[in-house]
Amino acid sequence: MQTRAARARKSPPLPVPMAAPPLLLLLLLAVSSAAAATGAPVVGEDYVRPPPARCHRKSLLSLFPWSKKKASSAASDPQQVNSVHISLAGEKRMRITWITDDNSVPSLVDYGTKEGTYTMASQGESTSYSYILYSSGKIHHVVIGPLEDDTIYYYRCGGQGPEYQFKTPPSQFPLSLAVVGDLGQTSWTTSTLNHIKQCEYDMLLLPGDLSYADYMQHLWDSFGTLVEPLASTRPWMVTEGNHEKEYIPFFKSGFQSYNARWKMPYEESGSTSNLYYSFEVAGAHIIMLGSYTDYDESSDQYSWLKADLAKVDRKRTPWLIVLLHAPWYNSNWAHQGEGDSMMASMEPLLYAAHVDMVIAGHVHAYERAERVYNGRLDSCGAVHITIGDGGNREGLAHRYRNPKPAWSVFREASFGHGELKIINSTHAHWTWHRNDDEEPVRTDDVWINSLVGSGCIQEGSHELRKILMSP
């Protein structure tokens, strides 16, 4: 697979002498300016991200960590609908989630295919939670459907209030997926979301680390407000990261806020935990795994994964894609080895099932690997992608290990998002878009052939049955 990065001319890296920080910055800017003068884009490891022109991050030092943020006058209305987002909830169904401060608001969604006209209605459930001095609003979850494929629906929440709209995914290829990890709430996050909004996509996939609330519960509320313009119009399918834990020993179990706010279709996929599940869209079977719950061979997640993979019909869903948080193949110095034990346990299952792609977050940089298995290049292995660079407040992971592993194709420490356009049963187009302030730059660009068309599935059918059907 030849990428634009592979075709681009690269100058040998310039040695940087030991210097005081201001001088080092000048040297780096000089290198960037020289590259710009030649007209050749700087990509990959040669790229030095310039400092942001401005930063909208608000200081959290004056806020009590667990208190509820003071509502604005616009949000003080007890009927106010907040943090609306949608997700798939089984075949031809959508889950609508929102929050209200008024506990008397019903968990009701009115909807229809014409603006302002609601011919259908569904009732659902609600929950809430307390976290030290914080009390959440009423969190509503309502499943609506059955719905028509590739259709715009208009809806309102709680029987009144503003109208929203969403578009259901198609029933067949082509299918377009936006992918972003480690999102957070910074000016870089805003840039990433603005760039995603500019592209045409059917669904967003997020492999963990959503709000970066980290125990400060009001940041879950502000995150819901931040992503609502996108998350209310296309389904967001997420899995947990380490920043969703919020575990306090002997006092608070982990993932309480995440599980209450971001309910995924785990029950619909036969899982017993919201931390791992699967779903199907068009011709893709997508599995969301949990890096921060048990995954060894005696775990519920491992047993569920085996059963889920055994049910996959590659004639109906030729593409098999897995998302998780901690990457298994990572040549960045950040978070080295953190996915190794999960990989040792589960990689043989994914290989036996001929998974096409594994997408991870956690490392705050971008990296794409060739098809790989057991640490070596393997034409029947999965393409591994790390995309934990959505815009989080912790910054970027700049240091990569050298020499570069044979399986690593492209790596760059910058913020951005990915797009996976599955054209048909055998071909998909992957692009990664770097955020240069307000300008999205397509830096990595590659066609990926599915394993359905490679002969790997036929050759490995016996091994698949042996591993997946074993007790």
Side-chain angles (χ1 to χ4, degrees), residues 186-346:
T186 69
S187 60
W188 301 306
T189 307
T190 301
S191 178
T192 296
L193 294 175
N194 286 338
H195 296 161
I196 292 173
K197 189 176 181 179
Q198 293 172 21
C199 70
E200 295 183 6
Y201 65 100
D202 301 304
M203 179 183 299
L204 185 140
L205 306 179
L206 201 165
D209 282 1
L210 284 70
S211 69
Y212 281 75
D214 292 328
Y215 305 97
M216 295 178 285
Q217 295 302 299
H218 65 272
L219 293 182
W220 278 109
D221 296 317
S222 60
F223 179 76
T225 301
L226 175 65
V227 303
E228 182 185 272
L230 275 70
S232 62
T233 63
R234 296 292 186 276
W236 277 40
M237 309 305 292
V238 307
T239 189
E240 87 282 1
N242 55 299
H243 285 274
E244 276 71 65
K245 283 183 183 179
E246 299 184 314
Y247 170 67
I248 302 177
F250 310 111
F251 190 75
K252 280 292 180 183
S253 60
F255 306 105
Q256 183 182 15
S257 313
Y258 171 78
N259 285 333
R261 295 170 183 267
W262 289 83
K263 185 176 181 181
M264 293 291 113
Y266 71 95
E267 295 168 313
E268 293 87 341
S269 64
S271 169
T272 59
S273 171
N274 192 50
L275 303 181
Y276 53 88
Y277 63 96
S278 69
F279 62 94
E280 293 185 351
V281 55
H285 186 94
I286 300 177
I287 298 174
M288 312 292 277
L289 293 179
S291 294
Y292 300 96
T293 186
D294 292 342
Y295 45 69
D296 59 38
E297 294 186 12
S298 63
S299 67
D300 290 342
Q301 181 175 198
Y302 185 92
S303 299
W304 170 83
L305 177 60
K306 279 181 61 174
D308 190 75
L309 290 171
K311 292 185 293 187
V312 174
D313 180 358
R314 298 301 280 269
K315 292 181 180 178
R316 185 164 58 90
T317 53
W319 285 88
L320 183 51
I321 301 168
V322 171
L323 285 88
L324 46 82
H325 189 61
W328 295 355
Y329 288 88
N330 167 34
S331 69
N332 196 294
W333 280 106
H335 302 300
Q336 264 298 312
E338 292 185 19
D340 287 358
S341 57
M342 187 180 190
M343 180 172 70
S345 173
M346 290 185 163

Side-chain angles (χ1 to χ4, degrees), residues 162-174:
E163 180 176 81
Y164 297 85
Q165 69 178 65
F166 67 81
K167 181 175 176 292
T168 55
S171 60
Q172 57 188 3
F173 300 130

